[in-house]
Amino acid sequence: MITIKFYSLLRLLVKIEQVELELADVPISTVLEEAAKKVKTPFLHKLVQDGKLITGTIILINGRNIHHLDKLNSRVQDGDEIALFPPGGGG
Amino acid sequence: MGSSEIFSRHSMFLGEEKMRLIRESSIVVAGLGGLGSVVCDSLYRLGVGKLILIDNKKVDLPDLNRQSLYTSRDIGQAKVKAAADRLADIHSYTEIITARIDIRDENALVALRDEHSFDGIADCLDNYNSRFDLENLLESEVFMVHGGVKNDFGQVTTINKGRSLRTLYQGEQDFPEIIPVVPQIVKIIGSVMTQEIVNNIFGEPQLLDKLVIFELADFSLYKQKVDLRL
Protein backbone atom coordinates (compact mmCIF):
# COMPACT_ATOMS: atom_id res chain seq x y z
CA MET A 1 0.00 0.00 0.00
CA ILE A 2 1.30 3.43 -0.97
CA THR A 3 -0.22 6.54 0.61
CA ILE A 4 -0.37 9.86 -1.26
CA LYS A 5 -1.11 12.97 0.80
CA PHE A 6 -2.25 16.26 -0.73
CA TYR A 7 -1.55 19.60 0.94
CA SER A 8 -2.93 23.15 0.68
CA LEU A 9 -3.64 24.19 -2.93
CA LEU A 10 -3.56 20.61 -4.20
CA ARG A 11 -5.86 19.33 -1.48
CA LEU A 12 -8.33 22.11 -2.18
CA LEU A 13 -8.13 21.21 -5.88
CA VAL A 14 -8.67 17.47 -5.56
CA LYS A 15 -10.94 17.86 -2.50
CA ILE A 16 -9.41 14.87 -0.75
CA GLU A 17 -6.71 14.58 1.92
CA GLN A 18 -5.08 11.36 0.81
CA VAL A 19 -5.45 8.28 -1.35
CA GLU A 20 -4.03 4.79 -0.99
CA LEU A 21 -2.86 2.66 -3.89
CA GLU A 22 -2.05 -1.04 -4.06
CA LEU A 23 1.29 -0.62 -5.82
CA ALA A 24 4.86 -1.64 -5.10
CA ASP A 25 8.28 -1.05 -6.67
CA VAL A 26 7.09 1.41 -9.32
CA PRO A 27 8.42 4.83 -10.41
CA ILE A 28 6.84 7.87 -8.76
CA SER A 29 5.53 8.91 -12.20
CA THR A 30 3.34 5.79 -12.22
CA VAL A 31 2.13 6.47 -8.68
CA LEU A 32 1.10 10.00 -9.65
CA GLU A 33 -0.73 8.80 -12.75
CA GLU A 34 -2.63 6.18 -10.77
CA ALA A 35 -3.44 8.71 -8.04
CA ALA A 36 -4.82 11.11 -10.66
CA LYS A 37 -7.13 8.35 -11.93
CA LYS A 38 -8.31 7.60 -8.41
CA VAL A 39 -9.09 11.18 -7.32
CA LYS A 40 -10.79 11.88 -10.68
CA THR A 41 -9.55 15.47 -10.69
CA PRO A 42 -6.68 16.35 -13.03
CA PHE A 43 -3.68 17.58 -11.05
CA LEU A 44 -0.65 16.16 -12.87
CA HIS A 45 -0.29 19.37 -14.90
CA LYS A 46 0.64 21.10 -11.61
CA LEU A 47 3.62 18.75 -11.18
CA VAL A 48 4.86 17.64 -14.58
CA GLN A 49 5.07 19.21 -18.02
CA ASP A 50 6.60 17.56 -21.09
CA GLY A 51 7.78 14.71 -18.91
CA LYS A 52 9.73 16.99 -16.57
CA LEU A 53 9.16 18.22 -13.04
CA ILE A 54 8.00 21.82 -12.79
CA THR A 55 8.41 24.13 -9.82
CA GLY A 56 5.62 25.04 -7.46
CA THR A 57 4.92 21.66 -5.90
CA ILE A 58 7.37 19.59 -3.90
CA ILE A 59 7.08 15.81 -4.16
CA LEU A 60 8.33 13.93 -1.11
CA ILE A 61 8.89 10.20 -0.77
CA ASN A 62 9.14 9.40 2.94
CA GLY A 63 10.07 13.04 3.56
CA ARG A 64 12.79 13.28 0.87
CA ASN A 65 12.37 15.59 -2.11
CA ILE A 66 12.53 13.50 -5.29
CA HIS A 67 14.90 16.13 -6.74
CA HIS A 68 17.51 14.49 -4.49
CA LEU A 69 16.46 10.96 -5.42
CA ASP A 70 15.91 9.98 -9.04
CA LYS A 71 13.30 12.63 -9.88
CA LEU A 72 10.33 11.14 -11.75
CA ASN A 73 12.11 7.79 -11.94
CA SER A 74 12.42 7.55 -8.14
CA ARG A 75 11.22 4.11 -7.03
CA VAL A 76 8.34 3.80 -4.63
CA GLN A 77 7.97 0.74 -2.43
CA ASP A 78 5.11 -0.85 -0.55
CA GLY A 79 4.52 1.14 2.65
CA ASP A 80 6.02 4.37 1.32
CA GLU A 81 4.33 7.70 1.93
CA ILE A 82 4.17 10.36 -0.78
CA ALA A 83 3.46 14.01 0.07
CA LEU A 84 2.55 16.62 -2.54
CA PHE A 85 3.27 20.01 -1.04
CA PRO A 86 3.11 23.46 -2.69
CA PRO A 87 5.45 25.56 -0.51
CA GLY A 88 5.09 29.21 0.43
CA GLY A 89 8.30 31.00 -0.50
CA GLY A 90 7.42 34.44 0.83
CA GLY A 91 8.14 36.08 4.13
CA MET B 1 7.79 50.45 34.81
CA GLY B 2 9.27 47.12 35.90
CA SER B 3 10.00 44.10 33.75
CA SER B 4 8.16 41.88 36.20
CA GLU B 5 4.99 43.86 35.55
CA ILE B 6 5.38 44.04 31.77
CA PHE B 7 5.95 40.29 31.44
CA SER B 8 3.63 39.28 34.27
CA ARG B 9 0.83 37.74 32.20
CA HIS B 10 3.04 35.19 30.41
CA SER B 11 5.49 34.65 33.29
CA MET B 12 2.49 33.54 35.36
CA PHE B 13 2.10 30.72 32.86
CA LEU B 14 5.72 29.97 31.97
CA GLY B 15 7.31 30.22 35.40
CA GLU B 16 10.65 31.58 36.61
CA GLU B 17 13.00 29.08 34.97
CA LYS B 18 11.53 29.43 31.48
CA MET B 19 11.48 33.21 31.84
CA ARG B 20 15.18 33.06 32.68
CA LEU B 21 15.88 31.03 29.53
CA ILE B 22 13.95 33.57 27.44
CA ARG B 23 15.74 36.50 29.09
CA GLU B 24 19.15 34.95 28.44
CA SER B 25 18.46 34.09 24.81
CA SER B 26 19.76 35.88 21.76
CA ILE B 27 17.93 35.47 18.46
CA VAL B 28 18.78 36.57 14.91
CA VAL B 29 15.74 37.63 12.90
CA ALA B 30 16.63 37.51 9.21
CA GLY B 31 14.17 39.44 7.08
CA LEU B 32 12.00 42.18 8.56
CA GLY B 33 8.99 41.73 6.31
CA GLY B 34 5.67 40.19 7.29
CA LEU B 35 6.95 37.18 9.22
CA GLY B 36 9.86 39.15 10.66
CA SER B 37 7.48 41.79 12.02
CA VAL B 38 5.37 39.22 13.86
CA VAL B 39 8.36 37.24 15.15
CA CYS B 40 10.20 40.38 16.37
CA ASP B 41 7.14 41.81 18.05
CA SER B 42 6.29 38.58 19.86
CA LEU B 43 9.86 37.72 20.92
CA TYR B 44 10.34 41.27 22.13
CA ARG B 45 7.16 41.26 24.18
CA LEU B 46 8.13 37.86 25.59
CA GLY B 47 11.32 39.48 26.85
CA VAL B 48 14.17 37.80 24.95
CA GLY B 49 17.54 39.19 25.96
CA LYS B 50 18.83 40.18 22.55
CA LEU B 51 17.40 40.52 19.04
CA ILE B 52 19.75 40.84 16.08
CA LEU B 53 17.77 42.29 13.18
CA ILE B 54 18.95 41.73 9.60
CA ASP B 55 17.47 43.41 6.53
CA ASN B 56 18.79 45.69 3.82
CA LYS B 57 15.53 47.06 2.43
CA LYS B 58 13.44 50.17 3.02
CA VAL B 59 9.77 50.27 3.98
CA ASP B 60 7.60 50.44 0.87
CA LEU B 61 3.84 51.00 0.44
CA PRO B 62 2.96 47.37 -0.50
CA ASP B 63 4.58 46.28 2.80
CA LEU B 64 1.86 47.92 4.88
CA ASN B 65 -0.78 45.23 4.28
CA ARG B 66 1.08 42.77 6.50
CA GLN B 67 4.32 44.15 7.95
CA SER B 68 2.93 45.13 11.30
CA LEU B 69 6.01 46.92 12.66
CA TYR B 70 5.58 49.77 10.20
CA THR B 71 3.17 52.60 9.47
CA SER B 72 2.87 55.09 6.61
CA ARG B 73 5.27 57.36 8.50
CA ASP B 74 8.06 54.79 7.96
CA ILE B 75 7.88 54.77 4.14
CA GLY B 76 11.38 55.16 2.73
CA GLN B 77 13.07 54.43 6.02
CA ALA B 78 15.44 51.47 6.47
CA LYS B 79 13.47 48.56 7.93
CA VAL B 80 16.11 47.81 10.56
CA LYS B 81 15.84 51.41 11.82
CA ALA B 82 12.04 51.59 11.71
CA ALA B 83 11.72 48.18 13.40
CA ALA B 84 14.26 48.99 16.11
CA ASP B 85 12.52 52.32 16.85
CA ARG B 86 9.10 50.69 17.07
CA LEU B 87 10.32 47.90 19.37
CA ALA B 88 12.23 50.30 21.62
CA ASP B 89 8.95 52.12 22.27
CA ILE B 90 7.49 48.95 23.84
CA HIS B 91 10.06 48.50 26.63
CA SER B 92 13.79 48.65 27.20
CA TYR B 93 14.57 45.16 28.50
CA THR B 94 15.72 43.67 25.18
CA GLU B 95 18.97 44.66 23.51
CA ILE B 96 18.50 45.40 19.83
CA ILE B 97 21.32 45.00 17.32
CA THR B 98 20.66 46.11 13.74
CA ALA B 99 22.52 44.88 10.67
CA ARG B 100 21.59 46.47 7.36
CA ILE B 101 23.25 43.79 5.27
CA ASP B 102 22.39 41.58 2.32
CA ILE B 103 22.10 37.93 3.39
CA ARG B 104 23.73 36.99 0.09
CA ASP B 105 26.86 38.98 1.07
CA GLU B 106 28.95 36.16 2.51
CA ASN B 107 31.58 38.44 4.04
CA ALA B 108 28.97 40.52 5.87
CA LEU B 109 27.33 37.37 7.20
CA VAL B 110 30.64 35.95 8.44
CA ALA B 111 31.47 39.29 10.11
CA LEU B 112 28.11 39.24 11.87
CA ARG B 113 28.66 35.68 13.06
CA ASP B 114 32.10 36.57 14.38
CA GLU B 115 30.89 39.69 16.17
CA HIS B 116 27.76 38.37 17.88
CA SER B 117 26.84 35.17 19.62
CA PHE B 118 23.29 33.89 19.30
CA ASP B 119 21.24 30.86 20.19
CA GLY B 120 18.89 30.73 17.26
CA ILE B 121 17.88 32.16 13.91
CA ALA B 122 14.43 33.03 12.60
CA ASP B 123 14.31 32.59 8.84
CA CYS B 124 11.75 35.20 7.81
CA LEU B 125 13.26 35.70 4.36
CA ASP B 126 11.30 35.90 1.13
CA ASN B 127 13.32 33.76 -1.28
CA TYR B 128 14.92 30.32 -1.29
CA ASN B 129 18.45 31.29 -2.32
CA SER B 130 18.82 33.74 0.57
CA ARG B 131 17.57 31.03 2.93
CA PHE B 132 20.29 28.69 1.71
CA ASP B 133 22.88 31.43 2.36
CA LEU B 134 21.45 32.12 5.81
CA GLU B 135 22.28 28.54 6.77
CA ASN B 136 25.94 29.63 6.81
CA LEU B 137 25.15 31.10 10.24
CA LEU B 138 24.31 27.64 11.60
CA GLU B 139 26.79 26.26 14.07
CA SER B 140 26.44 23.40 16.50
CA GLU B 141 23.98 24.29 19.26
CA VAL B 142 22.35 26.96 17.07
CA PHE B 143 18.84 26.31 15.77
CA MET B 144 17.02 27.84 12.83
CA VAL B 145 13.25 28.11 12.62
CA HIS B 146 12.08 28.50 9.03
CA GLY B 147 8.78 29.95 7.91
CA GLY B 148 7.32 30.65 4.49
CA VAL B 149 3.99 31.97 3.23
CA LYS B 150 2.08 32.35 -0.01
CA ASN B 151 -1.54 33.22 -0.78
CA ASP B 152 -3.34 31.94 2.34
CA PHE B 153 -1.06 29.05 3.31
CA GLY B 154 2.35 28.58 4.85
CA GLN B 155 4.77 26.21 6.55
CA VAL B 156 7.19 26.11 9.48
CA THR B 157 10.02 23.75 10.45
CA THR B 158 13.18 23.66 12.57
CA ILE B 159 16.63 22.81 11.26
CA ASN B 160 20.07 22.72 12.84
CA LYS B 161 23.61 21.99 11.67
CA GLY B 162 23.50 18.79 9.63
CA ARG B 163 20.10 19.62 8.19
CA SER B 164 19.38 21.95 5.28
CA LEU B 165 16.42 23.59 3.62
CA ARG B 166 18.16 22.71 0.34
CA THR B 167 17.02 19.14 0.85
CA LEU B 168 13.44 20.41 0.80
CA TYR B 169 13.48 23.33 -1.61
CA GLN B 170 16.23 22.51 -4.11
CA GLY B 171 14.63 22.77 -7.52
CA GLU B 172 12.17 25.49 -6.53
CA GLN B 173 12.60 28.86 -8.21
CA ASP B 174 12.48 32.35 -6.76
CA PHE B 175 10.35 33.72 -9.58
CA PRO B 176 8.09 35.59 -9.65
CA GLU B 177 9.78 37.72 -7.02
CA ILE B 178 6.53 39.23 -5.81
CA ILE B 179 4.53 36.62 -3.91
CA PRO B 180 0.81 37.17 -3.26
CA VAL B 181 -0.16 36.86 0.40
CA VAL B 182 -2.98 37.84 2.75
CA PRO B 183 -2.04 39.46 6.07
CA GLN B 184 -3.86 36.95 8.27
CA ILE B 185 -1.71 33.96 7.22
CA VAL B 186 1.41 36.02 7.95
CA LYS B 187 0.23 36.55 11.53
CA ILE B 188 -0.49 32.86 11.96
CA ILE B 189 2.75 31.53 10.50
CA GLY B 190 4.77 34.22 12.33
CA SER B 191 3.10 33.15 15.58
CA VAL B 192 3.79 29.46 14.92
CA MET B 193 7.43 30.39 14.25
CA THR B 194 7.60 32.33 17.52
CA GLN B 195 6.25 29.36 19.46
CA GLU B 196 8.77 27.03 17.85
CA ILE B 197 11.61 29.48 18.61
CA VAL B 198 10.49 29.45 22.24
CA ASN B 199 10.31 25.64 22.13
CA ASN B 200 13.91 25.61 20.92
CA ILE B 201 14.98 28.07 23.64
CA PHE B 202 13.51 25.63 26.16
CA GLY B 203 15.40 22.77 24.46
CA GLU B 204 12.16 21.18 23.32
CA PRO B 205 11.79 21.73 19.56
CA GLN B 206 8.60 20.20 18.18
CA LEU B 207 9.32 20.60 14.47
CA LEU B 208 12.66 18.93 13.95
CA ASP B 209 12.06 16.68 10.91
CA LYS B 210 8.46 17.82 10.86
CA LEU B 211 6.80 20.45 8.74
CA VAL B 212 3.71 22.26 9.96
CA ILE B 213 1.53 23.15 6.99
CA PHE B 214 -1.35 25.53 7.61
CA GLU B 215 -4.07 26.30 5.05
CA LEU B 216 -6.31 29.14 6.07
CA ALA B 217 -9.14 28.51 3.58
CA ASP B 218 -10.52 25.57 5.59
CA PHE B 219 -8.39 25.97 8.74
CA SER B 220 -6.49 22.77 8.06
CA LEU B 221 -3.27 22.15 9.98
CA TYR B 222 -0.97 19.21 9.31
CA LYS B 223 2.34 17.94 10.60
CA GLN B 224 4.18 16.24 7.76
CA LYS B 225 7.29 14.16 8.44
CA VAL B 226 10.29 15.39 6.47
CA ASP B 227 13.88 14.23 6.27
CA LEU B 228 16.08 17.33 5.95
CA ARG B 229 19.35 15.67 6.90
CA LEU B 230 22.28 16.37 4.63
Side-chain angles (χ1 to χ4, degrees), chain A residues 19-90:
Chain A
V19 293
E20 292 175 339
L21 298 171
E22 290 286 354
L23 293 172
D25 196 24
V26 289
I28 182 71
S29 54
T30 301
V31 175
L32 295 173
E33 285 163 14
E34 292 302 314
K37 287 179 198 165
K38 191 152 184 176
V39 301
K40 296 177 181 146
T41 304
F43 69 84
L44 279 179
H45 61 286
K46 300 274 185 189
L47 314 177
V48 182
Q49 275 177 18
D50 301 326
K52 289 188 175 172
L53 284 169
I54 58 173
T55 62
T57 305
I58 289 170
I59 303 171
L60 303 171
I61 301 177
N62 298 329
R64 298 293 288 187
N65 190 329
I66 65 169
H67 265 281
H68 296 282
L69 302 172
D70 198 10
K71 299 189 176 175
L72 285 168
N73 296 319
S74 306
R75 304 299 290 188
V76 184
Q77 306 299 332
D78 184 26
D80 283 355
E81 181 189 281
I82 315 297
L84 306 179
F85 158 57

Side-chain angles (χ1 to χ4, degrees), chain B residues 118-135:
Chain B
F118 43 84
D119 306 295
I121 305 160
D123 161 23
C124 303
L125 297 168
D126 61 2
N127 66 86
Y128 297 113
N129 285 318
S130 293
R131 289 180 164 105
F132 301 155
D133 290 335
L134 183 64
E135 290 180 4

Side-chain angles (χ1 to χ4, degrees), chain A residues 7 11 64-65 88-91, chain B residues 35 131 149 168 218 220 224 229:
Chain A
Y7 290 111
R11 186 173 45 75
R64 298 293 288 187
N65 190 329
Chain B
L35 295 176
R131 289 180 164 105
V149 288
L168 185 63
D218 59 359
S220 59
Q224 167 66 37
R229 290 171 301 175

